[in-house]
Amino acid sequence: MDLFDSSITERGFFGAFVEGEDGRRALSMPRGRSEFERDTVARMLLAEGLRLDAPPLPAPLIASRLA
């Protein structure tokens, strides 16, 4: 799995879990966020992306799936 900095800088964007057609997976996260935020969001994105049994995301966070 790769982790790369996103060019999206909007305050409400926390990151994205991306799975390519070839099965490769990556996390994209904005620069400049605290280590705590990056770690927490990465764990939530991985749980959602890998469809693990985990508590739902806390409000107001929303996970969207794009085909």
Side-chain angles (χ1 to χ4, degrees), residues 1-4 17-20 22-27 46 49-50:
M1 168 131 2
D2 297 318
L3 172 62
F4 61 94
F17 174 88
V18 180
E19 186 168 7
D22 62 357
R24 290 188 60 174
R25 297 173 176 155
L27 279 177
L46 287 170
L50 298 173

Side-chain angles (χ1 to χ4, degrees), residues 43-65:
R43 291 170 189 264
M44 289 190 288
L45 288 171
L46 287 170
E48 284 289 319
L50 298 173
R51 300 173 192 228
L52 301 176
D53 185 23
L57 295 174
L61 297 178
I62 298 170
S64 300
R65 293 189 186 278

Side-chain angles (χ1 to χ4, degrees), residues 29-54:
M29 302 184 74
R31 296 180 210 118
R33 305 289 172 93
S34 72
E35 184 177 334
F36 175 79
E37 182 178 312
R38 285 178 66 97
D39 181 68
T40 303
V41 171
R43 291 170 189 264
M44 289 190 288
L45 288 171
L46 287 170
E48 284 289 319
L50 298 173
R51 300 173 192 228
L52 301 176
D53 185 23

